[in-house]
Amino acid sequence: QRILGEMDLVCKENCSEELRAKLQWLHALNLYKSKHYDESRQFFNGAYELALRTNDKKLQATIIYYLTWFEIQDNEYDAAIQYLNAGLKLAEEIKLNRLRRDLTSLFIDIYEQTGNYKELAKAQAKYISLKDSIFNEELAASLKNLELNNQRQQSELIIQEKELELQRQRTILLLVA
């Protein structure tokens, strides 16, 4: 954490805005995980401003998750919903389904806390749909990996059989010669 802070200070004049945005985000994330929320919020805001200037949509969407969390903690639900809508738009645009799921879970938190059960039901249905979609994507990737491993193993067996056959033929040639 200290190292990231020092890197950010050194980097202010010597690094690109893209790199500074990522460094600030990493520093903010470390502070957040260490439960230094006020300080982390400042770094998230700085990283978000840099991500906006550099048009880093993935970083913007990721930071929005944390900025939304802070707004929910402050009971600033309107601001949280504005962040969430912006984050969902970005996450959909760049096809980040896990982030869409995580942002949707924050909608669920807001609607539970505010007693908005109609929107809560919609958010829960969307969350379940996203979770199922992610599961199906992961399942398809796992099946493809299994298929590729099976093909590789079959190829290795064929190669081993051919090498054994060549070795037998060489042995026969040596015995005959």
Side-chain angles (χ1 to χ4, degrees), residues 5 14 58 66 74 88 112 114 125 131 146 149 160 167:
N14 303 317
K58 183 176 182 181
Y66 296 97
D74 294 342
L88 277 175
E112 281 178 337
T114 60
K131 197 172 174 182
L146 284 173
N149 285 338
Q160 286 176 353
Q167 190 174 12

Side-chain angles (χ1 to χ4, degrees), residues 48-63:
Y48 185 66
E49 290 302 318
L50 288 168
L52 285 171
R53 283 205 303 262
T54 60
N55 200 31
D56 186 336
K57 293 179 180 183
K58 183 176 182 181
L59 189 57
Q60 288 173 41
T62 302
I63 293 169

